[in-house]
Amino acid sequence: MPHLSFEYSAGVEQWADMTAFAAALRDAMLDTGVFPLGGVRVRGHRADIAIVADGGAHDFVDISIRLGAGREDAVKAAAAETIYAAAEAFLKPLAAKRSFALSLEMRELDPALSLRRYNTIHAHLRKASKA
């Protein structure tokens, strides 16, 4: 259940392909070897209203990862580093001459408060891989 959401200032769309960015993050999540394909979700949300610092032309991408409990801290830290590095590699060349901030936070969910009883994605992936 690794769900990755990223929020970004509207100006980012002028200089970065956010669909390609989402795909790069998905690939990075899978590259960690930690997250199952059927559990990976990547969603991007543009912040139409965002005032940063002095209100000038400052852009940002803020990545939030929610995952189920049970992974060791070192595994989570390594996965966070891998995903951040992929985001940085994608965005840094494009943002080099801009005022820009990239951030990432990973949160582990309390199993008693995270309900996920209905999900047919894993079964569909198994079926598709046998076809």
Side-chain angles (χ1 to χ4, degrees):
M1 180 262 145
H3 289 214
L4 184 154
S5 296
F6 61 93
E7 182 180 51
Y8 59 93
S9 56
V12 173
E13 288 181 341
Q14 296 173 17
W15 51 268
D17 178 343
M18 298 314 284
T19 300
F21 179 65
L25 294 177
R26 188 261 336 266
D27 292 347
M29 292 176 79
L30 295 174
D31 288 347
T32 68
V34 174
F35 307 122
L37 175 62
V40 171
R41 313 279 190 282
V42 177
R43 297 182 285 273
H45 306 278
R46 185 179 70 201
D48 289 324
I49 300 169
I51 300 171
V52 179
D54 61 358
H58 311 291
D59 285 321
F60 68 87
V61 172
D62 177 48
I63 301 169
S64 176
I65 303 169
R66 298 178 301 130
L67 49 110
R71 295 170 182 89
E72 294 186 19
D73 287 346
V75 170
K76 291 183 290 190
E81 285 289 342
T82 296
I83 296 164
Y84 187 92
E88 187 176 44
F90 187 97
L91 295 169
K92 193 173 182 178
L94 302 170
K97 296 185 181 192
R98 294 172 163 77
S99 179
F100 176 74
L102 174 64
S103 58
L104 181 147
E105 178 184 23
M106 183 179 282
R107 293 184 306 279
E108 187 175 82
L109 302 176
D110 181 336
L113 303 174
S114 179
L115 306 178
R116 295 180 305 276
R117 292 186 293 252
Y118 183 73
N119 180 346
T120 62
I121 294 173
H122 294 283
H124 282 286
L125 288 171
R126 281 192 298 276
K127 185 177 177 183
S129 71
K130 292 178 183 177

